[in-house]
Amino acid sequence: LTPLPDTADEAAAIAAALGGGDLLMEMEANEQVLKQKDLTQYRNLVFATHGLMATDLVEFGEPALVMTPPLKASPENDGLLSASEIAQLKLNADWVLLSACNTAAPDGTPGAEGLSGLAKAFFHAAARNILVSHWSVVSASTVELTTGAFRQLQRNPGISKARAVQRSMLELMDQNPSYRHPMYWAPFIIVGDGR
């Protein structure tokens, strides 16, 4: 998979807007470290990585988020945080941002509906709101969109997450004419209560 160098800046900017936070980067951004953390203490979780649909790796057979692979893979740490593994996490998150491609995709079963894959898994793990994408995303504009949403919340603490994302989309189009096309901002939606 192609490297995503923008994701480090994205995570750091979001953490700064939130007033700090734990960042799992590079070798720390692996399944083993994530699964050992007490994730119930975090109200916001951001996964800035590659998202895989169930059909991307036919032998794997379910949607996943790409994590840093270990030197030696095991069933517990193979570099892919699958939907079934996500569903087993214990969360207490107001917002999970899936800054990745195709995170609203179905779970891969015949006739499955959208949002039945990663989104459903995060809801099962107790996330209340999830930012997901309906198709492949452009990394640079995605970084601007997600960090812009957190800047909006920082500037206007009373607005909803949905309104923050909307304002970030409008700001993205206004400040950079090359991002006016919907491919740069329209794949993202918030699923959940939106507050």
Side-chain angles (χ1 to χ4, degrees):
L1 297 171
T2 58
L4 299 170
D6 298 338
T7 58
D9 296 335
E10 179 180 12
I14 290 171
L18 291 170
D22 294 340
L23 298 175
L24 299 179
M25 308 281 236
E26 298 176 2
M27 293 308 290
E28 278 190 316
N30 70 61
E31 287 182 89
Q32 184 175 0
V33 171
L34 183 72
K35 290 174 184 176
Q36 290 174 348
K37 288 188 100 34
D38 175 12
L39 298 175
T40 60
Q41 66 179 318
Y42 301 101
R43 297 297 172 258
N44 298 285
L45 293 171
V46 177
F47 291 87
T49 184
H50 288 285
L52 300 177
M53 295 186 296
T55 55
D56 288 337
L57 299 174
V58 175
E59 66 280 0
F60 191 67
E62 66 177 303
L65 295 173
V66 176
M67 306 295 282
T68 301
L71 296 176
K72 183 172 172 139
S74 69
E76 297 78 34
N77 188 9
D78 59 6
L80 297 174
L81 186 62
S82 67
S84 58
E85 291 171 315
I86 291 165
Q88 294 174 32
L89 297 174
K90 304 282 187 266
L91 305 179
N92 186 21
D94 291 328
W95 203 2
V96 175
L97 276 82
L98 301 182
S99 180
C101 296
N102 301 307
T103 54
D107 65 8
T109 58
E113 295 180 0
L115 304 174
S116 64
L118 294 174
K120 182 178 178 181
F122 275 104
F123 282 128
H124 191 271
R128 287 178 281 288
N129 293 282
I130 307 167
L131 182 75
V132 293
S133 62
H134 281 290
W135 59 78
S136 295
V137 300
V138 177
S139 184
S141 60
T142 298
V143 169
E144 291 299 318
L145 178 70
T146 59
T147 57
F150 277 95
R151 281 193 307 272
Q152 288 292 334
L153 287 170
Q154 189 179 35
R155 284 185 232 146
N156 309 287
I159 65 172
S160 68
K161 291 168 181 52
R163 181 71 65 206
V165 170
Q166 178 196 38
R167 287 182 181 182
S168 182
M169 289 174 174
L170 293 171
E171 187 176 73
L172 183 70
M173 289 184 282
D174 286 345
Q175 292 181 355
N176 191 336
S178 63
Y179 288 156
R180 287 189 179 146
H181 192 281
M183 71 180 273
Y184 295 105
W185 50 268
F188 289 100
I189 62 163
I190 291 183
V191 183
D193 65 20
R195 287 181 271 162

